[in-house]
Amino acid sequence: MHRSIFHSDKLCPLLAGMICVCCLLSGCRMQARTEIFASKEGYLVTIGEDPTDKDTRWAKYLYEHLKKRVNDDEMVAFGVSEKEMWRVIIHIDPTLQEGFRIAIKGSDIELTATDDRQMLWLQYQLIKKISKEDPRIDGSDLPPAIINLTDTCGTFAFDYQSIYSPSGLNPDYTGVMGLNNFDDSWDIWGHNLRKVLGDNVDKVYATIHGKTDDSQLCFSSEEMYRQIESYIADNIGEKGSSRFVIAPDDTPYACTCASCTAMGNTEKNATPAVTELLLRLSQRFPKHSFFTISYLSTKQVTDKQLPSNAGIIVSAIDFPLRRIDGKNAQEKKFMQQLNQWKKVTKNIYIWDYINNFDDYLTPFPILKIAQQRLRFFKQNGASGIFFNGSGYSYSSFDEMRTFVLSALLINPELPVEELVRDYFNQEYPLSKKWLYDYYINLENSVQSGKKLGIYAGIAELEQSFLNPEKFIKFYDEMGDYVSDAKGKERKKLHELQTALSYTRLEMGRNHSYDPYGYAQRNGKQIQPTPQARKWLTQLKEHHAFTGMEYYNESADEIDYYIKEWEQYILASDIKKNLFLGIMPSSTPPTDKDGLKRLTDSTHGLPGNYHCGWTTLPKEEYEISLPVKGINKTGNIYISFLNLPRHRFYPPRQIEISKDGAIYKTINLETDDSVEKGELVKTTTPIDLNGAEQVNIKVMGAKKPRAQIGIDEIVFVP
């Protein structure tokens, strides 16, 4: 596979330092091997001359693991054999110019790697390749191989590469895919210093605006240094090569105590004090590696040279996920940031993002964008990549995406579409073309330059890449494929169908009673369709699948989402609504889709501000509704979101006017104790006989960064 990269007959130029093919570099052209592995009696695993302990250990590893995969124990031997066998020679060579090498001569296959990680990956590449030709070996559980068995050498593009996703965290597969095991890679990660400090954290609180502040830490504190030093010495030791992240808490403010200020800290720049601590620890523990994060209060680049065992993790949160074309201002700004860090360290890791963290279940076509970003990162000095995904929570197409991303981390020049096709061909024999066609269409949809939002609701996803008509067709066809598939494929398709039922419900809710919606309109009422209940029933099967408990980063439960759907949509208190379909306007203007949503008789779900709520970020808004011709007496019903943890509060005051004259003023109280969110509604009797326009003015809560979420304005006669 991937003949355009690894096959000697069709070689492409690659980026410096990435996968290379030795026969190209030496000027020769070698044909691919045509021998069938099954033509010999088996496989002899051995070591070369002057073997090291590592050579022997890795040779035994391959022998033991290959032996478990054969139907006849005698076809795998170790050391010597009188049978006619393929001879696999294992060698660890730290001086090898490349990271790994395959050399083939006659019946000898020599595998050489510089370190354990590349040797483990290389051995499973071998097992997978020979299992495709030799039916006596079972490699069905392994991902597709990305190299051919020719005289080949190469180097992983990055020194460190991990993927924070269910498949990327599976300890049985990280090494197989060439990944670092995230859980084993870091003894302190992210903003987790408080876990190390434990009960003593109150001794190292920051000073902010002249007062002790428990939201941030003081990095010039001698107590801080002693606590970290003791933790490493007592729990890790001074030998080995562990990694540690020394970073402030996830807030924009820095400590400005006398000591931190003397080091150079300012109100929003903690880099000087953090750097000094990093330097002390890297000197104290020279065999370990220490990183900080370029993010918020440590975004400012230090002016001090970092030692070889220290580095920086640069967050790509401000580098939008879109096609790279060399023209975008944020792209150029991020390049400048990397170039500044290159002046002080060679250890530059990138913390990048591969999921929509508000919706793990809707497909997220990141692969082609990720490939472009990996090339960009490598060209600008990055030596490590951490892909932040859905963690242990289920994410649609995760196994395929993790396979492709792990291959691109090894070589960003591999063809994405071919990798996707290889994976689907192996794992989905019945539905492979159907899955491939739909997924690649999603990938191509974002190549126009549209941004992938990493905190996006269904409306934004539709604007970016998710075509409702194509998705609904794909979803509706899925049932037949689930029914016809067998074994593992059927289970995986059933799992995907269940996850995408969330997407179908969200799309249906967003479209209300239009052709893509969950309901049908009958005059001034809407009624849920029978299909909508089926989508909900399908989503309830999520309990059968590992990791499908939450649907986003905030750990919002799928069960709670289902409960809210049943309560606020299927059993809605909105019946007849004379405002149904009326198009409001607003001052200041807001998006038309959001305004249209206010009169669709479909409640938002209080547990998630993305689910049906129109956001009014200004403190004061006025919404106008044309009501000429209604000529009825009844009640105006308005509902708002109270979700304090996301800074959504009901307005403190509502002013209702009729034809320019103030009709009623309503004052609301805010309950900050609400955790999961609540729908707050007001009901006002009003006579619309002869009226032409109703205005609703809302004044937001007097709280920092407060927002108003409004879902429905209803008139019930």
Side-chain angles (χ1 to χ4, degrees):
M1 59 183 280
H2 312 310
R3 293 177 177 81
S4 63
I5 296 296
F6 292 107
H7 192 295
S8 309
D9 288 334
K10 295 182 180 180
L11 293 170
C12 295
L14 306 177
L15 294 176
M18 299 181 188
I19 298 293
C20 61
V21 181
C22 291
C23 56
L24 174 64
L25 298 179
S26 61
C28 65
R29 294 179 63 82
M30 297 186 64
Q31 299 295 320
R33 300 185 64 83
T34 57
E35 294 94 338
I36 302 299
F37 284 102
S39 64
K40 296 188 181 295
E41 293 182 71
Y43 302 85
L44 172 64
V45 182
T46 187
I47 47 184
E49 297 179 0
D50 301 321
T52 65
D53 290 342
K54 276 196 171 185
D55 294 342
T56 303
R57 179 165 62 85
W58 277 111
K60 287 182 177 179
Y61 181 93
L62 178 59
Y63 166 71
E64 293 292 341
H65 285 261
L66 190 57
K67 195 172 183 179
K68 293 176 182 177
R69 295 176 175 274
V70 299
N71 53 24
D72 179 2
D73 285 353
E74 295 186 359
M75 65 173 287
V76 179
F78 182 80
V80 294
S81 175
E82 296 180 357
K83 295 182 178 181
E84 184 182 0
M85 291 182 159
W86 292 96
R87 199 165 73 114
V88 184
I89 306 163
I90 303 299
H91 182 40
I92 293 286
D93 182 4
T95 67
L96 187 69
Q97 185 176 358
E98 304 83 18
F100 66 87
R101 176 182 293 166
I102 301 175
I104 301 178
K105 185 176 182 180
S107 297
D108 287 356
I109 305 172
E110 185 173 1
L111 304 184
T112 307
T114 57
D115 57 36
D116 293 344
R117 181 164 64 107
Q118 296 191 71
M119 175 57 76
L120 177 64
W121 171 81
L122 192 59
Q123 289 191 3
Y124 279 104
Q125 291 287 304
L126 172 72
I127 293 172
K128 183 64 179 184
K129 290 302 293 186
I130 62 179
S131 72
K132 298 294 288 184
E133 294 187 14
D134 191 338
R136 298 171 297 175
I137 295 178
D138 180 14
S140 60
D141 62 316
L142 299 176
I146 63 172
I147 63 173
N148 285 315
L149 291 181
T150 58
D151 283 0
T152 303
C153 65
T155 299
F156 285 12
F158 301 97
D159 298 334
Y160 176 85
Q161 48 205 42
S162 65
I163 302 176
Y164 194 64
S165 73
S167 299
L169 292 167
N170 184 339
D172 293 332
Y173 284 95
T174 49
V176 171
M177 295 186 290
L179 297 172
N180 293 86
N181 186 320
F182 172 80
D183 287 331
D184 295 336
S185 296
W186 303 91
D187 286 287
I188 302 176
W189 171 253
H191 309 281
N192 287 319
L193 266 180
R194 289 176 184 261
K195 294 181 180 179
V196 173
L197 299 169
D199 295 338
N200 295 308
V201 67
D202 58 338
K203 298 178 181 179
V204 293
Y205 285 152
T207 299
I208 298 175
H209 301 141
K211 298 179 181 180
T212 300
D213 193 317
D214 63 3
S215 70
Q216 191 54 275
L217 304 175
C218 173
F219 285 81
S220 68
S221 163
E222 190 63 27
E223 179 68 22
M224 167 83 81
Y225 173 77
R226 284 200 300 268
Q227 288 290 335
I228 299 174
E229 179 190 35
S230 297
Y231 172 82
I232 296 173
D234 296 344
N235 295 279
I236 314 300
E238 303 194 24
K239 298 181 179 179
S241 55
S242 295
R243 297 181 182 90
F244 304 86
V245 173
I246 307 299
D249 284 345
D250 195 359
T251 69
Y253 292 99
C255 179
T256 50
C257 69
S259 178
C260 284
T261 301
M263 289 179 178
N265 273 23
T266 57
E267 181 182 7
K268 293 188 177 182
N269 178 22
T271 295
V274 172
T275 301
E276 288 297 330
L277 179 58
L278 206 69
L279 293 173
R280 288 186 71 183
L281 291 169
S282 59
Q283 184 177 17
R284 171 66 178 82
F285 299 101
K287 294 189 178 299
H288 297 317
S289 297
F290 296 87
F291 290 77
T292 191
I293 301 174
S294 178
Y295 181 67
L296 293 180
S297 66
T298 48
K299 205 167 186 178
Q300 178 68 43
V301 179
T302 180
D303 58 0
K304 298 193 174 183
Q305 286 292 319
L306 300 183
S308 60
N309 66 326
I312 187 69
I313 300 174
V314 181
S315 168
I317 189 73
D318 295 326
F319 184 18
L321 294 177
R322 58 160 52 97
R323 181 189 65 196
I324 289 181
D325 56 13
K327 301 175 183 178
N328 185 272
Q330 288 160 309
E331 178 184 329
K332 293 177 181 178
K333 185 177 180 181
F334 195 77
M335 183 190 302
Q336 292 170 354
Q337 185 181 5
L338 294 182
N339 286 334
Q340 287 179 318
W341 281 111
K342 278 197 298 186
K343 295 176 182 178
V344 298
T345 181
K346 293 182 179 179
N347 301 318
I348 301 175
Y349 290 7
I350 307 295
W351 182 326
D352 207 7
Y353 304 86
I354 58 170
N355 268 89
N356 174 8
F357 295 94
D358 278 334
D359 178 359
Y360 290 155
L361 304 182
T362 299
F364 196 67
I366 188 65
L367 300 179
K368 289 189 176 182
I369 288 176
Q371 179 182 50
Q372 295 165 3
R373 289 166 79 89
L374 287 174
R375 292 169 177 166
F376 174 86
F377 295 150
K378 184 67 179 178
Q379 290 166 353
N380 287 282
S383 57
I385 303 291
F386 166 67
F387 274 140
N388 191 10
S390 64
Y392 291 95
S393 293
Y394 176 88
S395 178
S396 295
F397 294 112
D398 171 68
E399 291 182 349
M400 178 275 291
R401 297 193 328 150
T402 300
F403 161 69
V404 175
L405 290 171
S406 65
L408 295 175
L409 283 165
I410 292 171
N411 178 9
E413 297 302 311
L414 292 173
V416 167
E417 293 190 8
E418 195 170 329
L419 290 167
V420 174
R421 181 183 293 112
D422 287 339
Y423 186 86
F424 283 144
N425 284 351
Q426 173 176 301
E427 298 296 320
Y428 297 87
L430 173 70
S431 56
K432 55 190 176 186
K433 185 178 185 305
W434 172 72
L435 288 170
Y436 172 84
D437 288 346
Y438 181 71
Y439 184 80
I440 292 300
N441 176 265
L442 294 179
E443 287 283 340
N444 291 336
S445 295
V446 292
Q447 286 304 297
S448 63
K450 295 176 182 176
K451 185 182 78 170
L452 281 176
I454 62 172
Y455 289 99
I458 194 71
E460 185 178 340
L461 298 181
E462 287 186 24
Q463 293 171 4
S464 176
F465 66 87
L466 192 66
N467 179 281
E469 183 176 355
K470 291 180 179 178
F471 173 80
I472 290 170
K473 181 177 182 293
F474 178 75
Y475 180 81
D476 288 346
E477 291 171 347
M478 190 170 292
D480 290 338
Y481 281 99
V482 173
S483 298
D484 294 342
K486 306 293 182 185
K488 182 172 68 172
E489 180 179 10
R490 182 172 187 171
K491 181 180 178 180
K492 287 184 176 183
L493 286 173
H494 183 197
E495 185 177 38
L496 182 63
Q497 179 188 36
T498 301
L500 296 188
S501 295
Y502 170 84
T503 306
R504 186 64 188 94
L505 285 162
E506 276 298 279
M507 188 173 285
R509 180 198 52 69
N510 188 50
H511 285 270
S512 189
Y513 54 86
D514 79 11
Y516 307 132
Y518 76 96
Q520 292 180 333
R521 179 173 178 173
N522 181 15
K524 289 297 182 178
Q525 292 181 276
I526 65 172
Q527 184 68 34
T529 64
Q531 289 86 351
R533 297 180 187 274
K534 290 181 180 179
W535 309 332
L536 205 61
T537 298
Q538 180 65 57
L539 184 59
K540 289 179 179 179
E541 297 185 15
H542 74 92
H543 291 288
F545 305 108
T546 302
M548 208 183 290
E549 182 179 0
Y550 308 110
Y551 64 88
N552 63 16
E553 180 186 51
S554 298
D556 288 329
E557 300 159 341
I558 294 176
D559 280 340
Y560 194 77
Y561 173 84
I562 291 170
K563 176 184 175 182
E564 289 198 323
W565 235 90
E566 292 174 333
Q567 178 180 351
Y568 293 103
I569 298 180
L570 293 185
S572 175
D573 59 350
I574 302 174
K575 306 303 179 185
K576 191 173 185 179
N577 174 16
L578 298 190
F579 284 171
L580 181 64
I582 289 178
M583 185 64 198
S585 59
S586 73
T587 305
T590 190
D591 73 284
K592 290 184 178 180
D593 288 338
L595 289 172
K596 183 179 178 182
R597 197 179 299 129
L598 300 182
T599 56
D600 65 0
S601 289
T602 300
H603 272 308
L605 305 183
N608 189 329
Y609 64 91
H610 281 304
C611 295
W613 297 95
T614 295
T615 301
L616 308 178
K618 301 291 184 181
E619 184 180 343
E620 187 173 299
Y621 260 86
E622 187 165 1
I623 299 167
S624 303
L625 296 102
V627 299
K628 185 177 181 179
I630 289 181
N631 295 322
K632 297 284 185 181
T633 300
N635 293 306
I636 286 184
Y637 166 120
I638 314 171
S639 46
F640 299 96
L641 175 62
N642 187 29
L643 188 60
R645 65 191 174 104
H646 289 297
R647 300 184 301 279
F648 280 89
Y649 305 94
R652 56 186 168 83
Q653 189 175 84
I654 305 163
E655 186 179 273
I656 300 176
S657 300
K658 184 172 67 170
D659 292 334
I662 296 176
Y663 181 80
K664 187 169 185 180
T665 299
I666 305 165
N667 295 311
L668 294 178
E669 297 292 331
T670 300
D671 181 1
D672 291 350
S673 66
V674 173
E675 293 185 6
K676 288 198 170 184
E678 66 174 350
L679 186 149
V680 176
K681 58 186 179 182
T682 67
T683 302
T684 303
I686 192 169
D687 183 357
L688 295 184
N689 283 291
E692 295 192 2
Q693 182 167 295
V694 168
N695 285 37
I696 300 167
K697 189 175 183 180
V698 295
M699 281 71 83
K702 294 288 189 179
K703 295 178 181 293
R705 296 190 293 167
Q707 303 177 92
I708 301 172
I710 178 172
D711 69 336
E712 286 303 310
I713 304 174
V714 177
F715 181 66
V716 182

